[in-house]
Amino acid sequence: DCPSGELNRTDFKGIYKQFFPFGDPSRFADYIFEVFDRNHNGTIDFAEFLQALSITSRGTSEEKLKWAFELYDINGDGHITKDEMLKIVDAIYRMVGSMVQLPEDEDTPEKRVDKIFHLMDKNSDGRIDMAEFKEGSHRDPLIMQALNLYDGLI
């Protein structure tokens, strides 16, 4: 329900809460909101919403990886730091709550981030660039599965 044709952050969080009632999706919704709000005016208009939905549900693997990289690269400097990734992964873990049983080597956000960085940070500089992200994502089945979660939605 969006009579103005725009979603504000609070309404967007409310939508996420409906899909994840047993966890706390508010932080993750904040990060997603930032990526959806392309012009950074504090609302998501219909065009922005459709563009993001189109990429996440019908985009190529390359488009989805670029979109996901933008999500993790919180400050937009072209690199994902451990701190940035930990913020997103922690938000995801809080969102899904106890709905997902995780293997022991990924049962905390810190363990998952360490595992991802071990896989992706090939030059061990403490940050992941787009090339490392693409290459590493193709080697991690969970990442590729998550990127294809919304396939065919629209």
Side-chain angles (χ1 to χ4, degrees), residues 35 96 101-102 104 114:
V35 180
V96 297
Q101 184 66 34
L102 297 164
E104 188 177 334
D114 285 344

Coordinates of all heavy atoms in Angstrom, one line a residue, residues 35 96 101-102 104 114:
V35 N 20.6 0.7 -1.1 CA 20.9 0.3 -2.5 C 19.7 0.6 -3.4 O 19.9 1.0 -4.6 CB 21.3 -1.2 -2.5 CG1 21.6 -1.7 -4.0 CG2 22.5 -1.5 -1.7
V96 N 17.2 -13.6 10.0 CA 16.6 -14.9 9.9 C 16.4 -15.6 11.2 O 15.7 -16.6 11.4 CB 17.5 -15.9 9.0 CG1 17.5 -15.3 7.5 CG2 18.9 -16.0 9.5
Q101 N 19.3 -23.4 10.5 CA 20.4 -24.1 11.2 C 21.7 -24.0 10.4 O 21.7 -24.4 9.2 CB 20.0 -25.5 11.4 CG 20.9 -26.3 12.2 CD 21.0 -25.9 13.7 OE1 20.0 -25.4 14.2 NE2 22.1 -25.9 14.3
L102 N 22.7 -23.4 11.0 CA 23.9 -23.2 10.3 C 25.0 -24.2 10.7 O 25.0 -24.6 11.9 CB 24.4 -21.7 10.5 CG 23.5 -20.6 10.0 CD1 23.8 -19.3 10.7 CD2 23.6 -20.5 8.5
E104 N 28.6 -25.5 12.0 CA 29.4 -24.9 13.1 C 30.4 -23.9 12.6 O 30.7 -22.9 13.3 CB 30.1 -26.1 13.8 CG 30.8 -25.6 15.1 CD 31.5 -26.7 15.8 OE1 31.0 -27.9 15.7 OE2 32.4 -26.4 16.6
D114 N 34.9 -14.5 8.2 CA 36.3 -15.0 8.1 C 36.4 -16.1 6.9 O 37.3 -16.0 6.2 CB 36.7 -15.7 9.4 CG 37.0 -14.7 10.5 OD1 37.2 -13.5 10.1 OD2 37.1 -15.1 11.6

